[in-house]
Amino acid sequence: RSSDLPASVRAGRAAAAAGAPSAAQRHFERALELWQQVPDAEQRAGIDHSLLLQAAASAAARGGAVDRGLALIDQALAEVGYAGTLERRATLLVDRAEILTDLGRDSESLAVFEQAEGLLPRDLPSRVSARVLSSYARALSRVDRMDRAGELAQRALEAAEAVGATADKLESQTVLSAAMAYEGDIEKGIALGWQTHQEALDAGLPWLAT
C-alpha cells in the first residue's frame, strides 16, 4: 500500500533517532523495496531515493552491517553521479570513506576523503566542508599522519566556527590538540584538549569530550 512507504521512512527515522540502527536499517530497506511500487514515491515518502539509500547505508554501518552499508552508499553515489551538487557528492563520499575506515581499508578511505576535500572551495566555509575536513583530519590522525591531520583540523575548525557546526568544531579541536602535542607544543595541546573536554560537556556532547 502507498501508506506503507512513508510509514517505513518515519519508522526508520524514529529508530535511528532512538539509537537503534539495526531496526532503522530494516525500516529503510523496506522503504527501498516499496519504492518502485508506489506512484509519486518521492512526494509520498518526503525524501528522494538517494537520500533514502544514504540513510539506509548509515543505519547499516552503525548497526554492524558494514559491507551492506558500503553497497548502499555506492548505489547512492552512482545514482547522484556528477549531476548532483558538489556538496551532495562530497557528503556521500565522506560517508563512503568513513565506512571504508570501519572496514579497515585505510588507504582506500584516505583516497576517498581526498576526493571529497577536493570538491569543495577552500574560501567558502559550510557545514559540509566542516564535516569533510574534520572527518578527514580524524582519519589521518588514526594512521599517524599528524602534520596533514593538524593542517586539515585547523581548516575544519575555522569552517566549523564560521557556520556554527559544534560537533565538527569539537572534533577538529581534538585532532588539533593531538597534532600540537605531536609537534612538541605539549602545553598548548593539553590546554586545547581540556578546553575541548569542557566545551563538549557544556554542549551536551559527552562522547566528544577528550
Side-chain angles (χ1 to χ4, degrees), residues 75-100:
Q75 191 178 340
L77 272 162
E79 198 167 284
V80 169
Y82 290 92
T85 65
L86 294 179
E87 288 199 345
R88 180 83 184 100
R89 187 162 181 81
T91 299
L92 289 169
L93 286 170
V94 168
D95 283 1
R96 185 174 200 272
E98 290 178 345
I99 290 171
L100 287 168

Side-chain angles (χ1 to χ4, degrees), residues 42-79:
E42 184 173 326
Q43 288 74 19
R44 288 181 182 275
I47 187 173
D48 75 33
H49 193 256
S50 69
L51 284 169
L52 180 57
L53 286 165
Q54 186 178 13
S58 175
R62 291 180 180 180
V66 188
D67 285 311
R68 178 59 179 160
L70 183 61
L72 287 162
I73 208 68
D74 282 344
Q75 191 178 340
L77 272 162
E79 198 167 284

